[in-house]
C-alpha cells in the first residue's frame, strides 16, 4: 500500500516526502566485553523491505534488537518516522513497530492460549472490539477461529510462527522487524511463512526489516540489503545487484559463494576475513 | 445408567476437545489432562488419599470423635487400646483417638497459615529480584541469605521465645524461617525465564514490568513453587510438632500432636501408645504430603514435560 492508500484508509499520519521510516546512524552495541556492533547505519523507506544478512555473530540480530528497544546497551541514533528513540520506548513506538522472533517455540508463552497472546496487546493499548480483531487477524495469518483457544504445545512450528505474526499484526503496526523468522522451521513451512509475510506486506503496506543468513530468502523478500561482517555494514546493495551476482565488496562475494554450498576453495578463502 | 455414562462421555469430550471454544474450557482441559497424568501415579494417589482423609477428618471432627479431646477422667488413666478407646487413653484419661482427630484441625491450620504467608512472599520477592536484577536483586537476596543462614528450628525457637509460646506465634516463627528457599527458587526460575523470547515479545507489545511479572513470569514459577511447598509441608508439620514438643507451640490442653508426644514420652516404655499414636499420625501426614508433592512434580514441572 502506498502512502496515498494509507491516507485513504485513515491510518497513521504519512511521512514527509523522502523521510525514511526507520533510520539508524552510527549504531554501536557493546556487551560486557564484546563490541558487537561497530557503527552500523542504514535507512529504510516507508513500505520498503530491507534485508540484513551476515554470518552468525556478525551482529545482525543485535542491530535489530537495538532498533526494537530490547537491548539497552546501544549508542548512536535511531529514528522511527522522524522521531528520535531513546532507551525507553513510548507506547506509540510499540503501536508502530512490531517484531517477529526467530524461534516460535520460544516466543510464545507456554501457558498462554492463542487468545490470551492476541488479546493482551489489545488490552495494553486500550483497543476496542477485541473479539473481531482477534478473529480477523487469525484469518489473515491463515489460522481459523478453531485455533483461538489452543495452547502453543498444541500447535506445529509453522502454526506457532503464524500466531507470532498475528501477535505482531494485531496492533496494526507500520514496521515489522523480522529476526530470522523462518530459520527454525522446516523447508516446506519456510516457504509458506515467507509467502504469508510477503502477502501481508502487500496488503498492509508494511515496512520490513528482515535479518537472515539466508541469501535466497533476502532475494525473495527484500528490495535492498545490507551485508554485515564483524559488527559493520560492509556493503549495501539492491536485490538486482545481488541476483546479478555483482557485489562490489570481496566479503560479499565470499558470502555469495558460500551460500551456493560447501566449497573447499571458498572455505579456505573465507578464513582470511576472520 | 446409560444417561449417566452419556453425560460423563460428554464431559470428557468437552474437556478433551482439540478445539476449545473458550478460555475456561481450554484451562479446564489442561487441568483434566494433568489429572489424568497424576492419576497414573499410584503413590501420588495414596498421598492424595491421605491428605483428603486428613481434610475430611479435620472438617468432620465433632462427628468423628467419640469423646471430647479435653474431657478428663482419671479413673480411665493410661488404658490400653481397646474397642471403646481405639487408641487408648493418656495420663489424664483423655481418649487419644478423639485427640488425634481434633489435632488434625490444628495441624491443618498451621500448615495452611504457613503456606498462605510463605508462598506469596517467596514468590514476590524471588520474581522481583530475578526480573529487575541489579542492586534490587542484591539487596533482596542478601536479606534472604541472612534468613537462610540460621538453622530453621533454632530461628523459630528464637522467635517463639521472643514472641511467647502459642500456635499463632509458632506459625509466624515458621513462616519467617520458611520463605527464603521459596524466594530462591522463584528467583532461579525467573532468571531462566526473563531472557526468553516470549518475555521480549511481551515487552515488544508494550507490556510494563508489573504485567510481565504477574502475567508472564509468576505463572511459570508457580508450578515448581507448588511442588516445593507440598514437599515442605512435611517439614513444616514436623517443626510445628517440634515446637509443640518443646512446649513452645500449642499449649495444653490443646490436642496438638507434637505436644501429645511430649507428654507421652514419660510413659513410652510402659504405655507405648500415648506417644506412638500421635507420632504415627505426624508420620502418616508427612508421608502423604511428600507422596503428593512427588506426584505433583511429575505433572507440573515444565522441565519434565
Amino acid at each position: 500500500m502506498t502512502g496515498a492508500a494509507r491516507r485513504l484508509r485513515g491510518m497513521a499520519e504519512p511521512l514527509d516526502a523522502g523521510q525514511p521510516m526507520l533510520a539508524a546512524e552510527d549504531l554501536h552495541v557493546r556487551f560486557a566485553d564484546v563490541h558487537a556492533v561497530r557503527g552500523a547505519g542504514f535507512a529504510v523507506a516507508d513500505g520498503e523491505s530491507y534485508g540484513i544478512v551476515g554470518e552468525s555473530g556478525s551482529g545482525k540480530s543485535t542491530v535489530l534488537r537495538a532498533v526494537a528497544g530490547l537491548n539497552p546497551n546501544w549508542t548512536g541514533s535511531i529514528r522511527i518516522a522522524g522521531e528520535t528513540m531513546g532507551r525507553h520506548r513510548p507506547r506509540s513506538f510499540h503501536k508502530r513497530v512490531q517484531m517477529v522472533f526467530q524461534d516460535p517455540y520460544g516466543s510464545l508463552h507456554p501457558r498462554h492460549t492463542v487468545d490470551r497472546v492476541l488479546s493482551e496487546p489489545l488490552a495494553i493499548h486500550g483497543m476496542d472490539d477485541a473479539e473481531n480483531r482477534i478473529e480477523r487477524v487469525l484469518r489473515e495469518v491463515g489460522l481459523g477461529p478453531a485455533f483461538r483457544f489452543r495452547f502453543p504445545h498444541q500447535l506445529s512450528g509453522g502454526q506457532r510462527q503464524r500466531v507470532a505474526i498475528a501477535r505482531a499484526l494485531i496492533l496494526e503496526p507500520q514496521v515489522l522487524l523480522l529476526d530470522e523468522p523462518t530459520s527454525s522451521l522446516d523447508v516446506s513451512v519456510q516457504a509458506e511463512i515467507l509467502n504469508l509475510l510477503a502477502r501481508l506486506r502487500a496488503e498492509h503496506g508494511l515496512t520490513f526489516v528482515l535479518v537472515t543468513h539466508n541469501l535466497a530468502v533476502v532475494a525473495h523478500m527484500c528490495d535492498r540489503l545490507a551485508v554485515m561482517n564483524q559488527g559493520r555494514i560492509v556493503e549495501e546493495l539492491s536485490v538486482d545487484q545481488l541476483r546479478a551476482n555483482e557485489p562490489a565488496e570481496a566479503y560479499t562475494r565470499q558470502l555469495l559463494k558460500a551460500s551456493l554450498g560447501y566449497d573447499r576453495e571458498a572455505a579456505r578463502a573465507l578464513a582470511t576475513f576472520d | 445408567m446409560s444417561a449417566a455414562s452419556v453425560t460423563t462421555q460428554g464431559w470428557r469430550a468437552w474437556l478433551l476437545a482439540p478445539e476449545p471454544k473458550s478460555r475456561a474450557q481450554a484451562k479446564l482441559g489442561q487441568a483434566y489432562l494433568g489429572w489424568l497424568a497424576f492419576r497414573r501415579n499410584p503413590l501420588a494417589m495414596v498421598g492424595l488419599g491421605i491428605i483428603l482423609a486428613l481434610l475430611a477428618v479435620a472438617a468432620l471432627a465433632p462427628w468423628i470423635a467419640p469423646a471430647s479431646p479435653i474431657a478428663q477422667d482419671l479413673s480411665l488413666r493410661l488404658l490400653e487400646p481397646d474397642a471403646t478407646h481405639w487408641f487408648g487413653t493418656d495420663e489424664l484419661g483423655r481418649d487419644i483417638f478423639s485427640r488425634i482427630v481434633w489435632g488434625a484441625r490444628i495441624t491443618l491450620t498451621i500448615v495452611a497459615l504457613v503456606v498462605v504467608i510463605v508462598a506469596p512472599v517467596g514468590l514476590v520477592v524471588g520474581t522481583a529480584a530475578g526480573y529487575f536484577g541489579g542492586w534490587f536483586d542484591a539487596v533482596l537476596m542478601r536479606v534472604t541469605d541472612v534468613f537462610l543462614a540460621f538453622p530453621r528450628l533454632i530461628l523459630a525457637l528464637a522467635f517463639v521465645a521472643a514472641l511467647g509460646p502459642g500456635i499463632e506465634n509458632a506459625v509466624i516463627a515458621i513462616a519467617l524461617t520458611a520463605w527464603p528457599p521459596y524466594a530462591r527458587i522463584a528467583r532461579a526460575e525467573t532468571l531462566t525465564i526473563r531472557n526468553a523470547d516470549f518475555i521480549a515479545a511481551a515487552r515488544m507489545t508494550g507490556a510494563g514490568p508489573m504485567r510481565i511479572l504477574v502475567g508472564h513470569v509468576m505463572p511459570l514459577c508457580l508450578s515448581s513453587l507448588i511442588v516445593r511447598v507440598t514437599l515442605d509441608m512435611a517439614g513444616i508439620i514436623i517443626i510445628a510438632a517440634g515446637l509443640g514438643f518443646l512446649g513452645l507451640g500449642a499449649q495444653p490442653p490443646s490436642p496438638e500432636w507434637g505436644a501429645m508426644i511430649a507428654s507421652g514420652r514419660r510413659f513410652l516404655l510402659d504405655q507405648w501408645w500415648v506417644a506412638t499414636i500421635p507420632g504415627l499420625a505426624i508420620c502418616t501426614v508427612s508421608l502423604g504430603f511428600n507422596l503428593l508433592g512427588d506426584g505433583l512434580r511429575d505433572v507440573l514441572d515444565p522441565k519434565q514435560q
Side-chain angles (χ1 to χ4, degrees):
Chain A
M1 184 165 47
T2 62
R6 179 177 289 127
R7 269 190 297 279
L8 278 177
R9 283 181 49 175
M11 288 166 70
E13 67 288 355
L15 300 171
D16 298 339
Q19 188 182 37
M21 174 58 95
L22 190 162
E25 275 164 32
D26 194 29
L27 195 64
H28 290 262
V29 182
R30 288 180 186 83
F31 297 109
D33 50 352
V34 186
H35 196 163
V37 178
R38 308 162 184 234
F42 58 92
V44 185
D46 185 17
E48 192 184 15
S49 174
Y50 190 80
I52 302 177
V53 298
E55 53 188 302
S56 305
S58 61
K60 54 191 193 308
S61 287
T62 312
V63 166
L64 201 70
R65 290 181 88 91
V67 169
L70 294 174
N71 187 341
N73 308 314
W74 57 271
T75 57
S77 118
I78 296 174
R79 274 177 297 132
I80 309 284
E83 212 179 310
T84 304
M85 290 291 142
R87 275 175 192 41
H88 184 78
R89 300 298 160 90
R91 195 160 279 186
S92 61
F93 167 82
H94 298 292
K95 186 97 172 54
R96 197 194 291 266
V97 181
Q98 278 298 314
M99 182 159 171
V100 176
F101 293 84
Q102 173 175 5
D103 178 12
Y105 289 87
S107 71
L108 296 179
H109 194 287
R111 297 282 165 88
H112 287 180
T113 58
V114 173
D115 176 67
R116 168 118 195 237
V117 168
L118 297 179
S119 54
E120 193 156 35
L122 294 176
I124 290 169
H125 291 265
M127 291 164 82
D128 54 358
D129 201 17
E131 284 292 311
N132 286 327
R133 283 177 194 273
I134 290 171
E135 298 216 336
R136 186 168 2 123
V137 81
L138 277 176
R139 258 198 313 279
E140 271 189 82
V141 298
L143 297 172
F147 289 88
R148 184 166 164 190
F149 295 102
R150 288 202 194 173
F151 286 90
H153 67 257
Q154 295 167 313
L155 303 172
S156 70
Q159 289 166 343
R160 287 173 189 231
Q161 197 62 308
R162 284 172 195 266
V163 173
I165 293 169
R167 168 176 60 196
L169 283 180
I170 200 156
L171 291 176
E172 296 174 1
Q174 291 166 288
V175 181
L176 224 49
L177 307 174
L178 305 162
D179 186 5
E180 311 220 19
T182 56
S183 58
S184 58
L185 302 171
D186 59 59
V187 179
S188 60
V189 182
Q190 279 186 8
E192 282 176 28
I193 296 293
L194 289 175
N195 288 334
L196 171 69
L197 286 169
R199 197 192 83 217
L200 291 170
R201 176 171 163 242
E203 284 174 8
H204 296 268
L206 295 167
T207 306
F208 275 6
V209 179
L210 171 70
V211 161
T212 179
H213 60 259
N214 190 332
L215 288 169
V217 168
V218 167
H220 179 64
M221 296 288 293
C222 297
D223 309 322
R224 278 192 309 141
L225 65 141
V227 179
M228 280 193 77
N229 183 32
Q230 299 197 5
R232 290 190 182 84
I233 292 183
V234 294
E235 185 176 7
E236 207 172 43
L237 68 168
S238 74
V239 158
D240 293 331
Q241 283 172 297
L242 177 77
R243 289 219 184 88
N245 203 357
E246 50 193 27
E249 286 292 320
Y251 176 76
T252 313
R253 280 198 290 275
Q254 298 283 5
L255 202 66
L256 273 174
K257 213 167 183 182
S259 72
L260 299 174
Y262 182 74
D263 176 353
R264 197 177 294 264
E265 281 301 308
R268 193 173 298 137
L270 205 59
T272 59
F273 285 90
D274 284 336
Chain B
M1 183 228 117
S2 64
S5 72
V6 166
T7 33
T8 48
Q9 283 292 316
W11 263 99
R12 296 196 59 174
W14 186 79
L15 283 169
L16 297 175
E19 292 166 5
K21 297 287 187 292
S22 70
R23 271 194 204 191
Q25 188 184 0
K27 286 248 180 296
L28 286 173
Q30 287 306 299
Y32 184 64
L33 283 177
W35 164 245
L36 289 182
F38 184 83
R39 216 173 53 177
R40 279 196 290 275
N41 184 343
L43 277 178
M45 289 302 282
V46 170
L48 183 67
I50 292 173
I51 302 311
L52 287 179
L54 177 74
L55 286 169
V57 165
L60 304 173
W63 295 277
I64 292 176
S68 160
I70 49 173
Q72 303 180 10
D73 185 346
L74 290 177
S75 64
L76 301 174
R77 288 185 80 230
L78 298 169
L79 291 182
E80 277 189 46
D82 60 21
T84 43
H85 301 287
W86 291 357
F87 293 161
T89 59
D90 66 6
E91 75 277 15
L92 295 172
R94 297 173 294 199
D95 179 40
I96 293 182
F97 178 68
S98 304
R99 286 176 68 75
I100 295 285
V101 167
W102 282 94
R105 283 195 171 183
I106 299 177
T107 301
L108 265 183
T109 310
I110 292 174
V111 165
L113 284 177
V114 168
V115 168
V116 164
I117 298 171
V118 158
V121 170
L123 187 64
V124 168
V125 169
T127 51
Y131 185 73
F132 293 111
W135 62 267
F136 193 72
D137 180 31
V139 169
L140 284 182
M141 282 303 113
R142 288 305 78 75
V143 173
T144 312
D145 284 343
V146 167
F147 280 92
L148 270 179
F150 291 96
R152 219 159 133 187
L153 188 58
I154 306 288
L155 194 57
L157 275 175
F159 276 115
V160 173
L163 299 169
I167 290 185
E168 297 81 8
N169 290 343
V171 166
I172 294 170
I174 297 171
L176 278 170
T177 56
W179 69 268
Y182 299 99
R184 283 267 170 202
I185 293 172
R187 176 174 175 270
E189 291 275 331
T190 307
L191 287 180
T192 64
I193 295 166
R194 77 168 192 185
N195 291 324
D197 272 352
F198 59 81
I199 297 296
R203 281 165 58 199
M204 203 59 212
T205 60
M210 275 314 282
R211 181 184 282 272
I212 291 178
L213 264 184
V214 175
H216 296 251
V217 175
M218 283 188 187
L220 289 179
C221 298
L222 213 55
S223 44
S224 53
L225 218 62
I226 289 174
V227 170
R228 180 66 199 258
V229 164
T230 323
L231 290 173
D232 264 8
M233 297 268 195
I236 292 169
I237 291 171
I238 286 168
I239 289 190
L243 289 175
F245 181 83
L246 295 169
L248 296 169
Q251 295 301 302
S254 156
E256 202 271 328
W257 295 347
M260 287 169 72
I261 298 181
S263 66
R265 76 180 190 280
R266 283 177 285 153
F267 324 106
L268 190 59
L269 292 182
D270 300 318
Q271 285 87 23
W272 56 268
W273 57 90
V274 182
T276 308
I277 299 290
L280 282 177
I282 292 171
C283 181
T284 311
V285 172
S286 305
L287 186 70
F289 275 117
N290 263 333
L291 294 176
L292 181 70
D294 266 341
L296 282 179
R297 171 161 56 199
D298 294 344
V299 176
L300 290 178
D301 196 344
K303 289 183 204 73
Q304 296 190 2
Q305 277 169 10

